Amino acid sequence: SSKQSSPYSLSSHSRPRLFAMDLRGERWTAPSLCLVLVLLQASISACAGAPKTYIVHMAASEKPSSFDFHHEWYASTVKSVSSAQIEAEEEEDAYARIVYNYETAIHGFAARLDEDEAERMAEAAGVLAVLPETVLQLHTTRSPDFLGIGPEVSNRIWASGLADHDVVVGVLDTGIWPESPSFSDKGLGPVPSKWKGLCQTGRGFTTADCNRKIIGARIFYSGYEASSGPINETTELKSPRDQDGHGTHTAATAAGSPVPDAGLFGYARGVARGMAPRARVAAYKVCWTGGCFSSDILAAVDRAVSDGVDVLSISLGGGASPYYRDSLSIASFGAMQMGVFIACSAGNAGPDPISLTNLSPWITTVGASTMDRDFPATVTFGNGANITGVSLYKGRKNLSPRQQYPVVYMGGNSSIPNPRSMCLEGTLEPNAVAGKIVICDRGISPRVQKGQVVKEAGGIGMILANTAANGEELVADSHLLPAVAVGESEGVAAKKYTRTAPKPTGTLSFAGTKLGIRPSPVVAAFSSRGPNYLTLEILKPDLIAPGVNILAAWSGDASPSSLASDRRRVGFNILSGTSMSCPHVAGVAALLKASHPDWSPAQIKSALMTTAYVHDNTYHVLKDAATGDASTPFEHGAGHIHPVRALNPGLVYDIGQNEYLEFLCTQNLTRTQLKGFTKNSNMTCKGSFSSPGDLNYPAISAVFSDQPATPLMVRRTVTNVGPPSSTYHVKVTKFKGADVVVEPSTLHFSSANQKLAYKVTLRTKAAQKTPEYGALSWSDGVHVVRSPLVLTWLPPM
């Protein structure tokens, strides 16, 4: 559920047959051919020496004049490194070995190379980096109202001059289900004249499936096929049609049109609409049965930027590689240069610390939170005790609340789960569980699949118990039999009852949808955590948004549980994951772009971060579902998004490409590695940043070295986007470990878009063993521009 087990992963539910990480289950992996062959010693060398796809970043400005076009140069470079054996046999020409040419967000190509060729390629003229292909696996009725952007606010944003608001949200995912009413184009004007994209056709998808809402649809599979062989077109549609559901869900969350009376089996019923219901959608299908390959993803980003998207929603993630080794980081840098806002999911590897993905400062990294809506369910035991949990079960076979049924737990007295206690496939004997409610521990297999195992063994119900890894966090599922998910403490109580009662019994009841849950929001336990181990001075995640039990459109080809045995089909589904929180932020960014067309991606990000809130609906500091304690900026970043405030933030922290490049200059990159971002051979570091903390980021993370007596100085510049004449006063948290002085303490603005600078001086009083958390806020009496302030003392070397 909350773990990642591959270099990249779709940050949400993910279908068990598709992906290595699943919020309906835990970790699972399908053995690859090479892993199987490892057992056969004779095949190891064959596996290692086989051609693989590599992404080659090129310095476009270094193209020799003898070539008219970059792709000719790339093909010549491939030919120059080809092995003698391939040249002699003339098995394939250089052009055939190139999988993609990249020309907008990044420059370079993807090609099939063996290891020796890849090593030679790294030394070839004009080559900046050679990176192996990586496989990325994929990481609403209530959330608009919960976020304060009901129809009246949304309509006001889009009301004046609709032609000025032709914002396009590009979604990189599993495709789109065009028949969903969430993609109705009723009331929308013509396709924006700036749009250069197209509606790519294929089996099950025609040009008629695009409209004034879905204005673009493309597929990218060359990298997948180069690595995994041809797509099986008898089971998988080589078209933009979404057979999985994930892409449809994220696209509708970001920009779905209003749909009345939506819901799932009667749960969460209401008007479903996206964050930016009048924005246009462009779907880029990059994920297939075997996952999402980085060469395809880069091609999609490259194409999306040239098509003319304004916002990219990418619910994908992976291990945190250095910036210059992360192809998505490099591509998103190019998109940022073209004015495109990029939202990415933080990952579902929480509550482990240092578990974040998508760490680049030009990406908006989004964690997940709960809303004030829940789906309560109750277990009533024979001794009269009740435990509460959640469920989305809706079936013909219900258990009577007036009858008691036998309850069984197949684990022993040990607190360590085992295959039987986790109800893994093939572990339950019918004679032990038939006619009984079975307690199953979370872990290894998808949550809904555990219920299927119980059902196939003859069980009549399931209590799904969290383990320590999941704590008290509850994620609802549409189970195949009566089932209730309960937290760790309730699970311990249930298992204790089965051990101590002579004949343990119970029953399950379901209470539908409940609003007004307190406290909310709460940081999801599965949401990946900081600190940012690549650069401690850049606080990540950036913020949190709703990502638990989110209702949005669904594919007509997929069941709500994503299990092949589940024959149910629904128009809307409820999912959890940072995959769900990411499009919330992408959609809100589209609203900000519509209201402020001249804002840069950094200004939009700043508005979202500095207006975020850190207190729940009980007026207490946001809690962490993993511990029940107060969360910190390493869990919630700047806080929870507040879209209405973000529309009028007062001040913003702007960052241009040159400032980002100066930041990269602090990361000890070689000149060649730096050119992967600059695309300009003449760019040199000016040395204007003394540390990464000098980046004009909306959050401040101060890192004290092993010389705590040395004061730290941090500089920031704010841009006035509020009333031309305004005065802001500063307020800063008092810390145990350091004195913090802000100069000047008052900022006087006399014009719109005026920039004023300030500096923050931090002097250690008493070095702390753990980080301290606070905030630095500017206020003019109307606006509060809040930056999280984190102080970290590194241990002596």
Side-chain angles (χ1 to χ4, degrees):
S1 124
S2 49
K3 304 296 181 185
Q4 292 173 301
S5 53
S6 65
Y8 289 89
S9 57
L10 272 164
S11 301
S12 80
H13 81 294
S14 306
R15 300 177 74 173
R17 66 177 181 84
L18 282 182
F19 308 118
M21 183 277 300
D22 186 332
L23 255 184
R24 287 198 165 89
E26 321 300 332
R27 296 183 179 179
W28 75 279
T29 52
S32 68
L33 176 62
C34 281
L35 283 175
V36 175
L37 290 179
V38 162
L39 299 175
L40 307 174
Q41 292 295 323
S43 300
I44 292 178
S45 59
C47 248
K52 297 183 290 188
T53 303
Y54 289 86
I55 296 162
V56 183
H57 294 279
M58 301 290 286
S61 60
E62 296 181 17
K63 177 180 69 67
S65 58
S66 56
F67 297 103
D68 293 327
F69 302 100
H70 281 91
H71 67 85
E72 295 174 341
W73 177 35
Y74 300 159
S76 176
T77 306
V78 171
K79 185 177 180 181
S80 72
V81 303
S82 296
S83 68
Q85 178 185 2
I86 288 180
E87 287 182 344
E89 297 178 3
E90 294 183 347
E91 292 179 358
E92 54 188 335
D93 61 26
Y95 280 104
R97 301 182 74 189
I98 292 180
V99 179
Y100 285 112
N101 286 301
Y102 306 120
E103 56 188 28
T104 305
I106 62 172
H107 291 300
F109 58 94
R112 297 285 288 170
L113 306 169
D114 64 32
E115 289 183 5
D116 292 338
E117 291 169 335
E119 289 182 8
R120 290 195 292 272
M121 180 67 75
E123 303 299 323
V127 173
L128 301 175
V130 179
L131 306 179
E133 175 91 274
T134 49
V135 183
L136 292 83
Q137 306 286 1
L138 290 169
H139 263 175
T140 139
T141 52
R142 180 63 183 164
S143 52
D145 290 324
F146 181 67
L147 295 174
I149 45 176
E152 67 289 345
V153 174
S154 181
N155 291 340
R156 186 171 71 246
I157 292 168
W158 303 95
S160 58
L162 186 60
D164 296 331
H165 299 320
D166 281 328
V167 179
V168 183
V169 179
V171 182
L172 271 65
D173 217 295
T174 63
I176 198 162
W177 190 260
E179 289 81 9
S180 171
S182 291
F183 305 119
S184 166
D185 63 357
K186 183 179 179 181
L188 292 177
V191 173
S193 58
K194 68 174 184 178
W195 181 245
K196 300 181 181 66
L198 58 80
C199 189
Q200 192 172 348
T201 60
R203 191 158 68 93
F205 204 94
T206 69
T207 54
D209 288 315
C210 289
N211 55 16
R212 291 170 299 179
K213 182 68 171 180
I214 304 173
I215 63 172
R218 295 183 186 268
I219 58 175
F220 299 84
Y221 56 84
S222 297
Y224 173 78
E225 289 196 329
S227 295
S228 303
I231 289 171
N232 182 355
E233 295 190 57
T234 61
T235 58
E236 193 162 15
L237 299 177
K238 197 183 279 189
S239 78
R241 182 166 292 278
D242 178 18
Q243 293 174 276
D244 177 76
H246 192 279
T248 299
H249 198 280
T250 54
T253 299
S257 302
V259 181
D261 200 31
L264 173 67
F265 304 136
Y267 291 99
R269 190 161 294 283
V271 178
R273 66 182 182 276
M275 301 299 101
R278 298 190 70 95
R280 317 302 178 114
V281 172
Y284 298 87
K285 185 174 179 178
V286 296
C287 295
W288 305 85
T289 299
C292 327
F293 283 66
S294 56
S295 59
D296 295 328
I297 291 164
L298 296 191
V301 172
D302 198 56
R303 176 57 63 183
V305 173
S306 60
D307 283 347
V309 302
D310 300 291
V311 174
L312 277 173
S313 179
I314 307 178
S315 290
L316 302 160
S321 301
Y323 303 115
Y324 68 91
R325 301 279 306 172
D326 185 342
S327 291
L328 182 55
S329 173
I330 297 171
S332 61
F333 188 93
M336 173 275 299
Q337 289 177 302
M338 303 293 286
V340 177
F341 177 93
I342 306 105
C344 288
S345 44
N348 299 335
D352 292 343
I354 322 176
S355 52
L356 290 165
T357 185
N358 298 316
L359 296 171
S360 301
W362 45 89
I363 289 174
T364 300
T365 309
V366 188
S369 61
T370 66
M371 291 189 295
D372 64 342
R373 180 182 66 193
D374 212 346
F375 309 102
T378 302
V379 182
T380 302
F381 290 119
N383 61 0
N386 289 332
I387 62 174
T388 57
V390 297
S391 183
L392 295 173
Y393 174 72
K394 184 75 169 183
R396 292 187 297 271
K397 294 185 178 180
N398 280 298
L399 304 183
S400 170
R402 294 181 296 275
Q403 185 177 343
Q404 288 285 303
Y405 305 87
V407 178
V408 63
Y409 175 60
M410 303 307 295
N413 292 328
S414 170
S415 61
I416 301 174
N418 61 51
R420 295 177 73 210
S421 76
M422 289 187 287
C423 303
L424 301 184
E425 198 166 356
T427 63
L428 299 184
E429 296 291 338
N431 59 4
V433 303
K436 298 177 182 178
I437 298 171
V438 183
I439 300 174
C440 299
D441 288 315
R442 280 181 66 175
I444 305 299
S445 65
R447 297 190 302 271
V448 179
Q449 191 177 73
K450 295 176 188 291
Q452 180 185 18
V453 171
V454 171
K455 184 177 181 181
E456 289 176 349
I460 60 170
M462 177 177 70
I463 301 169
L464 182 63
N466 280 3
T467 61
N470 314 109
E472 302 307 318
E473 178 176 67
L474 298 177
V475 179
D477 296 296
S478 51
H479 292 281
L480 298 174
L481 83 172
V484 177
V486 300
E488 181 192 8
S489 59
E490 302 281 47
V492 169
K495 286 178 275 191
K496 181 179 179 181
Y497 170 64
T498 63
R499 289 196 300 268
T500 57
K503 291 185 178 180
T505 61
T507 190
L508 312 177
S509 57
F510 308 95
T513 304
K514 183 179 180 182
L515 300 179
I517 300 297
R518 300 162 71 91
S520 64
V522 172
V523 179
F526 62 76
S527 187
S528 289
R529 316 303 173 92
N532 173 359
Y533 95 95
L534 288 181
T535 314
L536 283 173
E537 291 87 351
I538 302 299
L539 186 68
K540 291 282 182 173
D542 290 305
L543 37 74
I544 55 172
V548 177
N549 297 334
I550 305 301
L551 181 94
W554 194 241
S555 165
D557 270 0
S559 69
S561 67
S562 292
L563 295 176
S565 60
D566 187 354
R567 301 301 176 190
R568 300 174 296 177
R569 293 296 181 266
V570 295
F572 291 81
N573 202 6
I574 293 173
L575 302 180
S576 298
T578 54
S579 272
M580 283 62 255
S581 53
C582 171
H584 278 87
V585 169
V588 174
L591 290 181
L592 267 62
K593 186 69 175 177
S595 295
H596 305 282
D598 58 331
W599 278 10
S600 69
Q603 287 178 301
I604 293 173
K605 178 177 183 173
S606 174
L608 290 168
M609 290 177 65
T610 61
T611 59
Y613 59 90
V614 292
H615 291 86
D616 60 32
N617 57 3
T618 67
Y619 307 104
H620 292 96
V621 175
L622 294 174
K623 284 186 169 55
D624 180 359
T627 62
D629 298 329
S631 66
T632 76
F634 290 149
E635 286 86 51
H636 62 235
H640 192 281
I641 58 169
H642 193 303
V644 175
R645 286 184 192 162
L647 287 165
N648 180 23
L651 305 176
V652 292
Y653 294 83
D654 199 7
I655 309 173
Q657 63 172 334
N658 290 335
E659 288 91 341
Y660 283 125
L661 289 171
E662 283 300 308
F663 161 79
L664 287 168
C665 289
T666 68
Q667 299 302 292
N668 299 318
L669 273 62
T670 66
R671 186 171 181 179
T672 298
Q673 291 164 352
L674 194 62
K675 281 159 62 176
F677 296 92
T678 65
K679 308 177 184 64
N680 179 357
S681 60
N682 298 322
M683 194 278 175
T684 58
C685 293
K686 297 178 182 178
S688 57
F689 285 9
S690 59
S691 83
D694 285 339
L695 185 67
N696 199 40
Y697 214 63
I700 300 174
S701 178
V703 182
F704 294 92
S705 66
D706 54 357
Q707 293 181 317
T710 304
L712 280 179
M713 191 172 294
V714 178
R715 292 177 173 84
R716 291 290 187 269
T717 299
V718 284
T719 303
N720 180 26
V721 293
S725 179
S726 53
T727 299
Y728 284 82
H729 301 279
V730 75
K731 181 180 179 182
V732 65
T733 303
K734 292 188 183 300
F735 292 90
K736 293 179 183 177
D739 287 320
V740 181
V741 178
V742 182
E743 299 173 293
S745 59
T746 303
L747 298 175
H748 300 282
F749 293 93
S750 57
S751 61
N753 296 312
Q754 181 182 356
K755 295 180 183 291
L756 291 177
Y758 67 91
K759 68 177 181 179
V760 184
T761 305
L762 306 102
R763 290 183 174 85
T764 294
K765 292 188 296 186
Q768 303 293 299
K769 293 182 179 179
T770 57
E772 282 198 85
Y773 312 104
L776 184 155
S777 303
W778 292 95
S779 177
D780 64 350
V782 176
H783 308 90
V784 177
V785 186
R786 182 185 182 278
S787 293
L789 178 54
V790 177
L791 310 186
T792 304
W793 285 264
L794 297 180
M797 297 295 290

